[in-house]
Amino acid sequence: MAESKSQRSPRVWFITGCSSGFGKIFVPAILAWGDRVVATARDIRTLSDFAEYDNVKLLELDITDSQHSLNENVSKAIAMFGHIDVLVNNAGYVLYGVLEELSQSQILDQFNTNVFGPLNLTRAVLPHMRSRQSGTIIFMSSIAAWKGVAVGGPYSASKFALEGFVESLQKEVAPLGINSHLVVLGQFRTDILSAHRRQSGRGIDSIRDYDAAANAFQSRLEQTNGKQPGDPTQAVERIMDLVYHRGYFAGQQELPLRIVLGSDAVAIIRDECQKTLNDLKKQEQFGASTDYLGTGIGEVEKYE
């Protein structure tokens, strides 16, 4: 059953990356529903817009900090409002570049922010949610987790990795009353593609053989930035629909792991799934040819 404001106690949301983008949009939307927010950012001064709200607490948090530091910050957040109902792993950034030019440290930084940070923060929150047998954890994913493109490897790989881990996590915590969801975003008109947010792995010693691919990717970014089809305000509302079991999700007993937002995301995922099914059909007998005789699933002809 969908919730109304008068039928429930206020929820407490813990959100990373609130200085810009989706994180910044979440805060007023949640307050309008009567809930409370622990808003975080690496630099707490960037959260000054929220400083005067009674139902918002500000917390300085770097998602790439040590597990010990994240544990301490979660304890601080719990002390602010008494509990945490919803964790939104929102903080992240885009690193692009070709593998041969990227350094290990650049790729590791991308994974520390987009994968290990959210997982470590979730690890810090899980004991609290387990003790209450209740909670919702949101991970912000991307169509980059479904379709890799040349020069987009670092970001895409980080989102692929995140999706794999969260798919397993859901099966671990669902029996404990904790909901986990991947929000698979298409292109939304935030500042994630702006020059000051994205990072390039290309330098002055870039390899000319990759110039065509890199220039094409850079051109796409420039053409897309500020013209993305998705409205981030509407995306935040749909995520809140999920948490509050309202709108499309009203009355649904089993909520999906992946919440796909954006017509472009719907189209790309559908296309990638169909391509995979087509390839699988062509390779069915070939793939099954490696089984011991009599142990395969169903009857298939021996591959020759």
Side-chain angles (χ1 to χ4, degrees), residues 230-277:
D231 180 348
T233 301
Q234 291 299 318
V236 165
E237 288 295 325
R238 300 303 177 270
I239 296 169
M240 292 173 64
D241 287 346
L242 170 71
V243 173
Y244 297 137
H245 291 214
R246 70 187 186 191
Y248 170 79
F249 299 102
Q252 291 192 29
Q253 297 300 314
E254 293 188 15
L255 298 175
L257 167 65
R258 289 178 175 85
I259 309 300
V260 182
L261 297 181
S263 58
D264 54 340
V266 171
I268 286 173
I269 292 174
R270 180 189 294 119
D271 185 51
E272 290 301 303
C273 287
Q274 190 59 57
K275 287 180 181 177
T276 300
L277 288 171

Side-chain angles (χ1 to χ4, degrees), residues 184-212:
V184 187
L185 297 166
Q187 298 182 86
F188 281 83
R189 207 169 297 179
T190 68
D191 64 348
I192 194 169
L193 295 182
S194 60
H196 73 282
R197 287 290 308 278
R198 65 178 188 262
Q199 297 185 27
S200 172
R202 305 211 87 199
I204 57 174
D205 297 324
S206 58
I207 302 169
R208 295 191 63 183
D209 287 345
Y210 297 116
D211 283 353

Side-chain angles (χ1 to χ4, degrees), residues 169-195:
L169 174 69
Q170 183 203 40
K171 296 174 174 62
E172 295 167 2
V173 301
L176 309 177
I178 302 170
N179 297 313
S180 303
H181 302 283
L182 287 156
V183 178
V184 187
L185 297 166
Q187 298 182 86
F188 281 83
R189 207 169 297 179
T190 68
D191 64 348
I192 194 169
L193 295 182
S194 60

Side-chain angles (χ1 to χ4, degrees), residues 110-126:
Q110 177 80 123
F111 271 67
N112 280 336
T113 299
N114 291 3
V115 185
F116 303 132
L119 294 179
N120 290 340
L121 184 60
T122 299
R123 185 185 293 111
V125 171
L126 278 175

Side-chain angles (χ1 to χ4, degrees), residues 3 8-14 30 33-37 55 81 83-86 134-136 179 240 242-245:
E3 296 178 353
R8 61 177 182 82
S9 300
R11 277 192 173 92
V12 177
W13 295 60
F14 184 101
I30 291 167
W33 193 249
D35 277 353
R36 300 165 179 170
V37 183
N55 286 334
F81 289 120
H83 59 276
I84 297 172
D85 297 291
V86 186
S134 175
T136 299
N179 297 313
M240 292 173 64
L242 170 71
V243 173
Y244 297 137
H245 291 214

Side-chain angles (χ1 to χ4, degrees), residues 40-84:
T40 78
R42 286 183 299 174
D43 184 349
I44 201 168
R45 293 172 296 180
T46 62
L47 304 177
S48 58
D49 290 349
F50 308 128
E52 303 303 319
Y53 290 96
D54 292 336
N55 286 334
V56 179
K57 301 294 184 182
L58 308 182
L59 183 65
E60 193 160 276
L61 180 144
D62 186 336
I63 197 66
T64 65
D65 278 347
S66 68
Q67 186 69 62
H68 176 73
S69 178
L70 293 176
N71 292 347
E72 286 189 335
N73 274 310
V74 167
S75 296
K76 291 177 184 177
I78 293 170
M80 289 172 174
F81 289 120
H83 59 276
I84 297 172

